[in-house]
Amino acid sequence: MAQTTFNVGMTCEGCAGAVKRILGKIDGVSDIQTDVQAKTVIVEASDDVTKEFMLEKLLKWGNASGKSVALA
């Protein structure tokens, strides 16, 4: 299992819920922890799930919602 941290411009629990839904649909993701105040998302996933793939999925949401998304 690999752990990846993202900096995500979440402003509310709705944003955090959207991030969890997006990442939760990816096969191999086992745990997602969001912190709205710190604007961080920590993802546990199997080694075959790349951080670039997860970032791509989050960037689609970020671009549509006007939120920033980056690898920490």
Side-chain angles (χ1 to χ4, degrees), residues 32-52:
I32 305 159
Q33 298 172 31
T34 58
D35 185 333
V36 174
Q37 285 188 339
K39 298 189 182 306
T40 59
V41 178
I42 300 171
V43 184
E44 287 252 347
S46 60
D47 293 333
D48 59 329
V49 178
T50 66
K51 59 187 172 189
E52 292 82 10

Side-chain angles (χ1 to χ4, degrees), residues 4 6 8 16-34 41-45 49-51 53-59:
T4 306
F6 296 95
V8 181
V19 168
K20 286 182 178 181
R21 278 191 304 279
I22 291 162
L23 294 172
K25 291 180 181 179
I26 300 172
D27 285 337
V29 170
S30 58
D31 187 48
I32 305 159
Q33 298 172 31
T34 58
V41 178
I42 300 171
V43 184
E44 287 252 347
V49 178
T50 66
K51 59 187 172 189
F53 181 73
M54 291 186 285
L55 179 61
E56 179 184 322
K57 296 295 186 185
L58 288 176
L59 281 171

